[in-house]
C-alpha cells in the first residue's frame, strides 16, 4: 500500500492520558467546561481527552509526544488551553500530507456522568479538528473496582488518510512550516 515512496495511505495513532481530580479548578474535557465540584490537575488545563487526541495525532505521523513538544517544565504552558496543543498536532498532520478520517475515544471516570455531555464534547472536538461530528466517537465508562475513582483517564485512536495530491502542504514543505 505505498504511494510513490511516500509511505502508507493511512496511518493509525493511539494516545492515552490521565489526571487526578483537584478542588478549585474548572473541569475541562474535550474542550468543554463541565459542571463538577473538581477539575483535573495538570500543568496545562488538564484536559485528558485533548491530550490523548494530541498524542494520537502525533504518534500517527511519528512525531514527538505532547510532553516533549509542550514540556511541563516550561512555564509557557502553565494553565494553557489544551486546544493549543491539539492545533499544533493537527498542523503537523496536515504538513505531513494527511487528513483525519475519524477519531474514537473512551473516557474512564467515576463522575461526572459524560452521557449527558457527550454531544457537546463531540461537537467541540469536531470543531477543533475541523471534521464532521459524525467522525468523532465519544464513549464513557466508570472505573468499577480499578481504584481510580479520583482520576479521569482518556484513550483515543485516530485514523489518518493521505490527502489527495495538490493539497495545501506536501512532505517537501513540511520542514518550512514547522514551528
Amino acid at each position: 500500500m505505498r504511494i510513490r515512496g511516500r509511505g502508507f495511505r493511512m496511518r493509525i495513532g493511539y494516545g492515552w492520558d490521565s489526571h487526578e481530580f483537584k478542588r478549585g479548578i474548572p473541569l475541562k474535557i474535550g474542550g468543554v467546561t463541565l459542571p463538577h465540584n473538581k477539575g483535573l490537575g495538570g500543568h496545562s488545563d488538564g484536559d485528558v481527552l485533548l491530550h490523548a487526541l494530541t498524542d494520537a495525532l502525533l504518534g500517527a505521523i511519528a512525531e514527538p509526544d505532547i510532553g516533549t513538544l509542550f514540556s511541563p517544565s516550561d512555564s509557557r504552558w502553565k494553565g494553557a488551553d489544551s486546544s493549543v496543543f491539539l492545533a499544533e498536532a493537527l498542523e503537523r498532520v496536515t504538513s505531513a500530507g494527511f487528513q483525519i478520517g475519524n477519531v474514537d475515544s473512551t473516557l474512564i471516570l467515576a463522575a461526572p456522568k459524560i452521557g449527558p455531555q457527550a454531544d457537546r464534547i463531540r461537537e467541540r472536538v469536531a470543531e477543533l479538528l475541523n471534521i464532521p461530528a459524525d467522525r468523532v466517537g465519544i464513549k464513557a465508562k466508570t472505573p468499577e473496582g480499578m481504584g481510580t475513582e479520583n482520576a479521569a483517564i482518556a484513550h483515543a485512536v485516530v485514523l489518518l488518510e493521505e490527502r489527495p495530491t495538490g493539497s495545501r502542504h506536501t512532505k517537501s514543505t513540511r520542514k518550512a512550516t514547522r514551528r
Side-chain angles (χ1 to χ4, degrees):
M1 287 183 49
R2 290 195 177 272
I3 298 177
R4 291 173 268 134
R6 288 189 53 202
F8 294 103
R9 294 183 208 201
M10 290 185 265
R11 303 259 184 114
I12 296 171
Y14 170 76
W16 177 92
D17 195 38
S18 67
H19 288 287
E20 186 175 22
F21 281 101
K22 296 191 177 189
R23 293 198 182 278
I25 54 177
L27 175 61
K28 285 186 79 175
I29 296 179
V32 175
T33 302
L34 302 177
H36 195 57
N37 61 350
K38 295 178 185 176
L40 294 170
H43 188 66
S44 65
D45 63 8
D47 191 325
V48 292
L49 181 55
L50 295 190
H51 294 179
L53 285 167
T54 298
D55 267 344
L57 289 167
L58 293 169
I61 57 170
E63 288 280 337
D65 68 9
I66 190 173
T68 301
L69 295 177
F70 305 100
S71 175
S73 63
D74 188 335
S75 62
R76 288 182 298 167
W77 310 122
K78 180 69 176 161
D81 187 319
S82 295
S83 65
V84 171
F85 310 147
L86 191 64
E88 174 64 20
L90 186 57
E91 175 61 29
R92 288 173 181 244
V93 164
T94 301
S95 294
F98 290 91
Q99 62 191 15
I100 298 173
N102 73 302
V103 302
D104 191 25
S105 64
T106 302
L107 296 162
I108 304 167
L109 65 165
K113 295 293 182 196
I114 296 299
Q117 306 294 334
D119 285 340
R120 282 181 56 214
I121 295 169
R122 178 181 295 104
E123 290 290 333
R124 180 63 179 144
V125 169
E127 178 184 0
L128 290 169
L129 295 175
N130 198 27
I131 60 174
D134 67 355
R135 293 185 184 188
V136 177
I138 304 289
K139 301 176 299 302
K141 308 291 180 193
T142 56
E144 300 181 28
M146 291 176 52
T148 57
E149 285 75 17
N150 196 41
I153 301 166
H155 295 268
V157 64
V158 300
L159 175 67
L160 301 182
E161 304 165 332
E162 189 172 46
R163 281 197 331 273
T165 305
S167 294
R168 190 170 67 110
H169 294 284
T170 64
K171 195 169 187 171
S172 62
T173 62
R174 181 176 178 195
K175 288 182 181 176
T177 61
R178 277 197 181 165
R179 293 185 173 105

